Amino acid sequence: MDTLKLAGTIPSTAFRRVGPRRVFLFPSLIAISILLFTFYRPPELSNYVVEFHGDAQLSHSQWDKLDAHLQRCEELQAPWQTYDFPPSANRTNPRWKVSSGQKQTVVLRNVTVFDGDSILPEPVDIVFAEGVVQSITSSGANNFDAVANTIVHNYHGHFVTPGLVDMHSHHLAIPWPSLESYVDDNEINEATGPLTPMVRALDAIKPYDIAAKIIASGGITTSLILPGSANIMGGEAYPVKNFLRGGEYGEEIVEELLLEHGIAKENRRRYLKMACGENPRRVYHHTRMGNAWHFRHHMARAKELREKQDAWCAAAGIARQRKDSAAAATLLAEGPYAKGGLPEELELDSSVAMLRGKIGINVHCYEQEDFEDMLLHSEEFGFRIQAFHHALSAWKVPELIKSSGQNITIATFADFSLYKKEAYDGNLWAGKILTEHGVPVAYKSDHVDENTNARYLLSQAATAHSFGLSELLALQSVTSVPAKSLELHHRVGYLKPGYDADIVVWNSHPLSAGANALQVYIDGKSTLEEKSFSPEAADNTKPGMRAETAAEDIKLFCEHPKRDESIVVTGIKNFYLDTPDIKPSASFNLTMVINNGKISCLGDQDRCISTTSTSRVITLQNGHVLPGLTTISDTLGLAEIESEETTADGYADRTANVLDPETALYTKYGIHFEGKAFNRARIGGVTRSITYPYGDGFLQGVSVGIKTAEGGNPINGGIFKDDVALHISIGQDAKSSLQTPSVSKSIATLRRILNDNKGKDTLYGKAANGKIPVVAHSENKYDILQLVKIKYDFPKVNLVIYGASEAPAVADEIASAGIPVIFNAAHSAPSEWEKKDLLVGPPLTISPVQVLLESNVTFALSLLPGHDWHLANLPIEAAAIAKEAGISSKQAIDLISIKIDDVLGLQKSERNSDFVIWEGDPLEYGASVVLTFDGDNREVVGCWPEAE
Ligand SMILES: *[C@@H]1O[C@H](CO)[C@@H](O)[C@H](O)[C@H]1NC(C)=O
Ligand SMILES: *[C@@H]1O[C@H](CO)[C@@H](O)[C@H](O)[C@H]1NC(C)=O
Ligand SMILES: *[C@@H]1O[C@H](CO)[C@@H](O)[C@H](O)[C@H]1NC(C)=O
Ligand SMILES: *[C@@H]1O[C@H](CO)[C@@H](O)[C@H](O)[C@H]1NC(C)=O
Ligand SMILES: *[C@@H]1O[C@H](CO)[C@@H](O)[C@H](O)[C@H]1NC(C)=O
């Protein structure tokens, strides 16, 4: 912020308080003096001559003090440093050190580069040394063989990007596995209240959080570590590089994690975290009105201090210039301004920096009214907002956001949403909509648990791309856009000469399903073991985007199918159904005929088409036919907005006697067949859900089998199976129950239930007799072994393990006992102690799914609980898992469809016989469901769900 403008706002009263021998100034003079002040430099001490003025004398040390404070004035008032672009190729990386930095020059030969702006037209060779990119030149002409001290990697055309930048993460402040005693994200305290701009994430960072390594393996090299969002002003945030123990002695040192390590502390960038709306409202019991008032009240204090500072600095500048000892003495005396000298208050330091435009303001803010309010505050007090974070409703008001003129970045999620009121308007097309209005969009993680695992940041860009964000904007959204928003784009977010050597080599196009890092360099140092890869296999095919089809065309198209007796679909490239009577002919371009909801022919057009004459023909370019997929959920149909109790069924009574089967909840009585998550399921080709009661505690209750098609209800077949399984929990979640306060008690209780109810015709009797499966939710390997033991002791019980994060560690035992598993931890994380030893998967470990397969465990896959928002991507998850585990697409699809029926022992008539016709390959991003068929009623139950 420029000083001139503010000079006009200094109240004249401020000057009257200077002292008995007042510095006499006209307001216009103030402006001039501040201008002069900008160029003012304290003289060298040796040249310094004290001139006496009036009756006051000032000692040398007093003048020195005045000069020191004037120096501080200069620091405070100097405009925020910006950088020249592009950085020169010979710049040094301040993080680099002789002893611990990149030692050998590295050459990545023959790579396809996205450089932060665009994809270079031809393959290049990248050279980097001492943590800085030296050159990027056209591949082929160079000969590096003879260059000393150089490592050359030939990547045969593989895709390379700058290290990804995540502008919102809480790792290091809350390390994995999370333990109560070191959750240091929110300063929640009655004494300090919701305004804590004075606290710093720096003081929370634990430089040994294993999450940093996991996150880096996803290609994220830079993260902004912010305080949490409980407070209106949460505190200062710090950018780090995700490289642990990278310093000279390999010790766990916070300073060495900081991106600006090596730069003088006073010259480092600053960031402030703020929050609107629901969180501070909930935590401090204010309304939005109270939130706003407390913030404005605080900012008024900061503004007053800033004005006092500017007035002091102006007066001191003039006193210095005129060598006016009396004025100087007054300015240094105890007085109403400050305790001798330039007024400063540590508590208000970052708030004043806000008003001086010297701290990047990042505001957690979701909804349109909250953006508007925060923009009002920014106008009232004169601060610029760097980014609105989360901001899931921003797509509704892009012009409002633009109208601020502040070029505010929307740092958001691609599909994570729906979990609370503020998140309920999340839109899968938001990235496309916002960027079409010229609003910069960045994707970020909000890392702390599996829902927000930063390791999967890139998949958000890929998801956004599949929903219409262009390839370049999608790649920029996790590299250069966040880097620019954070004003770190002179070092990171780009892959060009002069940038930090933070580089990721990918095994496929970075926006494709299951893209994984082959290598990640941070400051030029590799972070992954070198992996072998097939030189021919650089498949950089860009995945598609969903076809843009006019709403009227879709409407017209979708009006038909329900009435259609016979439908012909041409252009089918892949068919994944197990149909004993229909075997596709060898042809790649198949035609399928559906008569009365049943496939009557599948093969060459000539063979199939003759059987029908009056059919409607659907012509696909890249048709795929998949079985309807099944999800396992504790919320779908039960809790629409998880944090809003009135939108949900409710919890079990945790004080009830769990030995009494009457206390079990039956989900079948609570299902509502509507909500936004249902639509996400339909977009993902998910036609069924096994929904079990949510909440923790030992006894969860009985799951129901429901259909996700529109218009379902409990009396028209929306429920395909009333009582699927009895769900109980063995592990940390169960400890909240009054009667099972420990894991051991939960195990004993399960044993007692199975032992005491044999032969009874109750729910527990059926469970004991194997008439209804017992699905035991369990994560820890020792808890799982207790279940294995129970299976041996109660062989009749139809036991299923669900969750099973650490199952790979005891896979042989599970397989030998013949216990089927519903595994939901293929892309999970060691976020909790009880699953600290799970396998995080490639590129750091073997795929946990591969371990289960190789041990011959019978299993199916599902998303983690609370992931209904992710259902549109269920086939993509399966595709990524298939790539990582080295299994076929067919196997992957089976694991999220028929295998679930197998594991839960569904009867033939209860099994999922739905099928879904897609345009595009659903195992790659960008495919759309065209028609959904219900296998029981043999009818079309869905048409183009993404248009809903
Ligand atoms: C670095 O490069 C710039 C031009 O890009 C040049 O002006 C400068 O002298 C170089 N500095 C060093 C130390 O080589
Ligand atoms: C780069 O790799 C691709 C794929 O292996 C190969 O076809 C091409 O010839 C290579 N280019 C150079 C310059 O080596
Ligand atoms: C706005 O911000 C984005 C992202 O930080 C940046 O790419 C763009 O150049 C900025 N536009 C202007 C006009 O400053
Ligand atoms: C697939 O078959 C249909 C019908 O026979 C034909 O019209 C279409 O051109 C074929 N497409 C390809 C890619 O071969
Ligand atoms: C898994 O099953 C296959 C095929 O039956 C068998 O060859 C293999 O040895 C089994 N693996 C284990 C670990 O039991």
Side-chain angles (χ1 to χ4, degrees), residues 800-804 807-808 811 814-815 818-826 847-862 881 885 887 891-904:
V800 177
I801 301 173
Y802 170 79
I814 296 170
I819 305 175
V821 171
I822 299 172
F823 186 65
N824 68 19
S847 154
V849 168
Q850 190 179 341
V851 175
L852 296 180
L853 279 167
E854 283 171 3
S855 304
N856 295 334
V857 173
T858 300
F859 70 101
L861 294 176
S862 81
I881 291 163
I887 60 175
Q891 268 177 300
I893 292 166
D894 286 352
L895 288 170
I896 50 173
S897 57
I898 59 170
K899 287 286 180 188
I900 291 179
D901 295 352
D902 290 349
V903 164
L904 292 172

Side-chain angles (χ1 to χ4, degrees), residues 910-948:
E910 299 162 347
R911 295 173 68 93
N912 192 346
S913 56
D914 305 338
F915 63 95
V916 180
I917 298 173
W918 296 72
E919 173 63 298
D921 177 1
L923 297 179
E924 189 47 89
Y925 285 104
S928 299
V929 168
V930 178
L931 288 177
T932 305
F933 287 84
D934 180 296
D936 298 332
N937 302 325
R938 295 190 172 184
E939 61 177 0
V940 174
V941 290
C943 180
W944 221 294
E946 68 197 40
E948 273 174 40

